[in-house]
């Protein structure tokens, strides 16, 4: 009988994946999902149902979202009632019953949709860098192009209210979407307002249109039902984005960026934003992305604002940081004719919830 190769770790079983999700990922954030994931890990029938999905579509976060979607759509009333009551045992039983009774529907949803997460928290790092880009280029209006936009919440950056831990604030103080962020490192974020936003364009291979009820429901389904504060924030994000829906362009960034630039009025500064989007691209396509920005700048200045892992964004300095440092670099690249000026203006952690502003500092 063949023996396992020495030194090669065995891949965890599906049951182990679900148990680990319960004990690590759901621990402390969603007791309800923790209990459901444990129940799924202990049910042979449930695991066999999950295994009818492609391997890359069996992750607990996706299967649980697909079950939650059925509950929100009114197709799994027992599961919806258990979630509403916060009853872990009833939710575990109802989740297994729903999965076994509606396996095809669960798998079809998991195959068709990606897990989506709320993104508006990223505005706390985007806002001051966009404002800085406009200042440097003397722009009175900007057109925002968000690459890898997902639900396009980044495109509401000027319409949210941001409060920093040092007491400063940016954005719209009357906005229904409030974003807190912590400042570290001793340098304040510039209190400079963004100019008028005259175009909002989202670019993604699979953008989410929040004005579509099914898409909006799926966004809610991707949150655990026992996180009422996150659900309330998401509802406010959806309402805000729906009130001024952006233009959504479907396709690879390097293919559709020319169309996106063409939609920005001639008298506005195109500002391209990427937040943890470029890591999904190969190095070759990241360089092609940079070339697209350079091409667009042949006719007018272009700015690129990025929040990416260390070393991910081409041309943005790494400040000597290690790739596995646990933080990301905030980059600002200005394309003005043949000139490219790229700078690291900050560091951030926790998807933008913690920010160290560096622009204008002599210290890295």
């Amino acid at each position: 009988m063949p023996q396992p190769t020495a030194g090669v770790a065995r891949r965890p079983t599906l049951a182990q994946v679900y148990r680990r999700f319960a004990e690590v990922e759901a621990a402390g954030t969603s007791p309800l999902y923790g209990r459901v994931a444990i129940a799924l890990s202990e049910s042979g029938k449930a695991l066999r149902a999950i295994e009818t999905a492609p391997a890359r579509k069996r992750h607990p976060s996706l299967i649980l979202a697909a079950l939650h979607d059925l509950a929100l759509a009114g197709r799994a009333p027992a599961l919806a009632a258990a979630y509403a009551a916060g009853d872990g045992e009833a939710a575990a039983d109802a989740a297994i019953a729903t999965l076994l009774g509606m396996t095809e529907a669960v798998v079809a949803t998991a195959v068709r949709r990606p897990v989506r997460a709320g993104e508006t928290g990223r505005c706390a790092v985007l806002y001051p860098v966009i404002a800085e880009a406009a200042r440097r280029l003397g722009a009175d209006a900007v057109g925002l192009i968000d690459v890898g936009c997902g639900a396009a919440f980044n495109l509401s950056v000027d319409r949210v209210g941001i409060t920093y831990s040092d007491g400063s604030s940016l954005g719209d103080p009357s906005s229904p979407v409030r974003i807190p962020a912590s400042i570290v490192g001793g340098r304040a974020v510039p209190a400079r307002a963004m100019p008028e936003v005259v175009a909002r364009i989202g670019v993604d291979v699979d953008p989410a249109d929040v004005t579509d009820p099914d898409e909006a429901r799926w966004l809610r389904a991707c949150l655990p039902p026992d996180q009422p504060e996150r659900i309330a924030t998401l509802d406010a994000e959806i309402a805000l984005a729906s009130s001024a829906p952006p233009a959504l362009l479907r396709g690879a960034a390097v293919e559709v960026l020319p169309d996106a630039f063409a939609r920005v009025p001639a008298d506005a500064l195109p500002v391209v934003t990427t937040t943890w989007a470029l890591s999904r691209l190969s190095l070759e396509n990241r360089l092609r992305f940079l070339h697209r920005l350079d091409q667009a700048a042949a006719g007018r200045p272009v700015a690129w604002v990025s929040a990416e892992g260390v070393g991910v964004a081409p041309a943005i300095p790494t400040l000597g940081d290690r790739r596995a440092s646990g933080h990301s670099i905030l980059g600002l690249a200005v394309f003005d004719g043949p000139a490219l000026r790229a700078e690291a203006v900050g560091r951030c952690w926790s998807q933008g919830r913690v920010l160290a502003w560096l622009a204008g500092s002599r210290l890295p």
Side-chain angles (χ1 to χ4, degrees):
M1 178 180 297
Q3 298 297 316
T5 303
V8 177
R10 293 182 178 179
R11 297 182 66 178
T13 65
L14 191 60
Q16 290 170 335
V17 169
Y18 273 73
R19 179 168 288 277
R20 177 174 174 77
F21 177 88
E23 296 174 347
V24 177
E25 296 182 47
T29 60
S30 178
L32 201 60
Y33 268 7
R35 180 67 195 95
V36 172
I38 287 291
L40 293 173
S41 77
E42 295 174 344
S43 169
K45 290 183 178 179
L47 293 172
R48 286 191 290 275
I50 295 169
E51 286 173 342
T52 64
R56 63 187 179 83
K57 293 291 188 174
R58 298 173 187 170
H59 192 272
S61 60
L62 185 53
I63 296 298
L64 289 169
L67 288 166
H68 193 191
D69 189 61
L70 290 173
L72 291 174
R75 299 176 62 190
L79 183 60
Y83 280 167
D87 187 332
E89 293 303 319
D93 291 341
I96 291 175
T98 302
L99 176 60
L100 297 182
M102 305 181 71
T103 301
E104 289 187 5
V106 172
V107 170
T109 298
V111 167
R112 187 174 75 254
R113 295 190 181 278
V115 173
R116 298 195 187 274
E119 301 152 346
T120 305
R122 304 173 185 186
C123 293
V125 295
L126 288 177
Y127 191 110
V129 191
I130 295 171
E132 177 66 12
R135 181 193 71 82
R136 293 186 183 187
L137 289 166
D140 296 322
V142 297
L144 301 178
I145 302 171
D146 190 41
V147 171
C149 66
F153 292 149
N154 285 350
L155 293 169
S156 296
V157 58
D158 59 317
R159 305 176 65 219
V160 303
I162 307 165
T163 302
Y164 297 99
S165 58
D166 62 359
S168 61
S169 61
L170 290 171
D172 181 357
S174 65
S175 176
V177 178
R178 311 296 302 170
I179 300 172
S182 297
I183 298 293
V184 296
R187 289 184 62 83
V189 172
R192 185 177 299 110
M194 283 176 53
E196 180 185 7
V197 177
V198 296
R200 304 174 198 272
I201 304 149
V203 174
D204 202 313
V205 294
D206 186 20
D209 180 359
V210 296
T211 65
D212 182 324
D214 290 342
E215 292 278 6
R217 188 184 68 241
W218 176 248
L219 290 173
R220 296 182 180 99
C222 290
L223 291 180
D226 56 345
Q227 295 187 348
E229 289 186 3
R230 288 186 67 191
I231 292 170
T233 297
L234 176 62
D235 285 342
E237 292 172 343
I238 291 172
L240 186 65
S242 298
S243 66
L248 297 177
L249 303 182
R250 185 181 299 271
V254 293
E255 304 301 332
V256 301
L257 269 175
D259 184 12
F261 282 115
R263 294 170 183 250
V264 177
D267 58 350
L269 170 68
V271 179
V272 176
T273 58
T274 64
T275 53
W276 299 281
L278 295 187
S279 61
R280 299 194 291 268
L281 303 181
S282 66
L283 176 58
E284 178 185 1
N285 279 332
R286 279 179 254 162
L287 294 175
R288 289 179 65 200
F289 165 81
L290 191 68
H291 182 59
R292 284 291 193 215
L293 303 185
D294 188 49
Q295 286 179 318
R300 56 175 165 175
V302 170
W304 169 33
V305 172
S306 61
E308 303 284 352
V310 177
V312 172
I316 301 299
T318 63
L319 305 174
D321 298 344
R322 294 179 294 107
R323 286 181 179 268
S325 57
H327 67 267
S328 299
I329 299 288
L330 299 179
L332 172 56
V334 173
F335 301 77
D336 193 359
L340 166 60
R341 299 188 300 278
E343 180 183 347
V345 296
R347 297 184 177 99
C348 68
W349 296 257
S350 302
Q351 297 285 292
R353 294 179 181 86
V354 180
L355 165 64
W357 186 258
L358 302 175
S361 172
R362 295 184 179 180
L363 298 177

